[in-house]
Amino acid sequence: DVQLVESGGGSVEAGGSLRLSCVASGYTGRTGCMGWFRQGPGKEREGVAGINADHGTTNYADSVKGRFTISRDNAKNLVYLQMDGLMPEDTAQYFCAASPGSHTSCLAGAIYKYWGQGTQVTVSS
C-alpha cells in the first residue's frame, strides 16, 4: 500500500516560516507529480504547489508565488514545501499528494491518486 505522511506543521506568527515534509512509502514514483494542497476553515481544497519528477517543473498557486517553494528528493521519496512570509490566510490543513504518470500540470487535484492525512498550519496575526 502507498502511504503519504506529512510533518512539519505548527503555529507561527505572520511573517514566519515553516517547512513541511512528506514521505511516500510503497511508492516508487520516479515519474509523475507530487503536490501540496490545503483546505482552510470553510474553504474548498486548493492546490498550493506541484512538482513534476520527469523534468522538475514546478507549479504554484498565485497566492503563494514568491513565498513558497516545493522541492523533491526522488531518491528518498520525499517532497518538501518551504513556506516563508506566512500570512494568516495561509492557515489550513495541508495535504501531500502523489500521482504516477505523465501530466502537463501538477497543480490539479483531479490527477492525484494518493493522499496523506494532512498537517495543520496555523498563522496568527
Side-chain angles (χ1 to χ4, degrees):
D1 289 350
V2 175
Q3 282 193 321
L4 303 179
V5 179
E6 304 94 337
S7 61
S11 297
V12 295
E13 293 184 348
S17 297
L18 283 173
R19 188 196 197 202
L20 305 184
S21 300
C22 172
V23 59
S25 60
Y27 180 73
T28 56
R30 297 290 188 263
T31 62
C33 294
M34 291 192 77
W36 287 96
F37 292 76
R38 68 186 180 186
Q39 186 164 17
K43 297 181 180 179
E44 294 186 356
R45 185 187 68 193
E46 65 170 336
V48 175
I51 186 166
N52 191 304
D54 297 324
H55 39 73
T57 300
T58 56
N59 308 108
Y60 294 95
D62 289 342
S63 59
V64 306
K65 281 180 181 176
R67 300 188 298 121
F68 291 10
T69 304
I70 188 171
S71 60
R72 179 173 177 168
D73 185 333
N74 285 343
K76 298 180 179 178
N77 272 351
L78 279 162
V79 63
Y80 304 100
L81 184 68
Q82 177 66 41
M83 305 186 295
D84 299 315
L86 283 161
M87 301 185 292
E89 48 264 48
D90 295 318
T91 294
Q93 186 85 348
Y94 283 72
F95 300 89
C96 172
S99 174
S102 179
H103 307 288
T104 55
S105 171
C106 292
L107 207 53
I111 69 169
Y112 285 94
K113 182 175 181 180
Y114 305 108
W115 293 84
Q117 294 299 307
T119 185
Q120 178 67 33
V121 171
T122 302
V123 185
S124 59
S125 57

